[in-house]
Amino acid sequence: MVWVFENDQPIYTQLVDQIKVAIVSGELPPGARMPAVRELSLEAGVNPNTMQRALQQLEREELVYAQRSAGRFVTEDTAVIARVREALAAEKVRRFREAMRALGCGEEEMRTLLFGSGEGQNGNLS
């Protein structure tokens, strides 16, 4: 994983968000064993306690589960993964719309920017 941190929010929440993206994108597939806390913290360049806090949050959100003496694993519940993916996508869309409104763009202009203005547009992002 490539870890990128900003100064606008706590590191552990950024860790949670980045691991969520890795899970919903399939980089960490359902049932995959998670690297150990120390390994992840070294890779990300963060304190192990911070990584532990992030992983505990992911457990609370049921994206990751712990098996005694075997480590942590990505959930195999694809409905949970789909729900999280949808929530992440909705948040990205909300932020995009907010940023475009701040630039003075209306809904129609946003659609044109995303999909073009040609005839026969069906709303696909391709």
Side-chain angles (χ1 to χ4, degrees), residues 76-95:
E76 295 179 41
D77 188 338
T78 56
V80 169
I81 294 171
R83 184 185 77 234
V84 170
R85 182 176 184 268
E86 187 175 313
L88 289 172
E91 179 59 18
K92 296 275 187 193
V93 169
R94 185 194 67 74
R95 287 183 183 179

Side-chain angles (χ1 to χ4, degrees), residues 96 100 103-116:
F96 169 78
M100 292 299 100
L103 292 174
C105 296
E107 293 295 321
E108 191 58 41
E109 189 174 1
M110 284 184 230
R111 267 191 288 287
T112 299
L113 288 167
L114 285 170
F115 305 116

Side-chain angles (χ1 to χ4, degrees), residues 33-41 51 55:
R33 187 175 188 280
M34 298 286 296
V37 171
R38 286 205 187 286
E39 183 180 335
L40 282 171
S41 62
M51 184 60 73
L55 293 170

Side-chain angles (χ1 to χ4, degrees), residues 12 20-22 38 43 55-56 59 67 70 74 89 102-103 105-108 112 119-120 122:
Y12 93 93
K20 281 181 183 180
V21 169
R38 286 205 187 286
E43 183 183 303
L55 293 170
Q56 287 172 336
E59 283 184 40
Q67 282 189 341
V74 175
L103 292 174
C105 296
E107 293 295 321
E108 191 58 41
T112 299
E119 290 286 315
N122 60 9

Side-chain angles (χ1 to χ4, degrees), residues 2-3 5 14 33 68 72 79 86 97 101 119 122:
V2 176
W3 302 95
F5 301 108
Q14 294 180 68
R33 187 175 188 280
R68 202 174 214 126
R72 284 190 173 93
E86 187 175 313
R97 293 177 75 205
R101 280 194 214 102
E119 290 286 315
N122 60 9

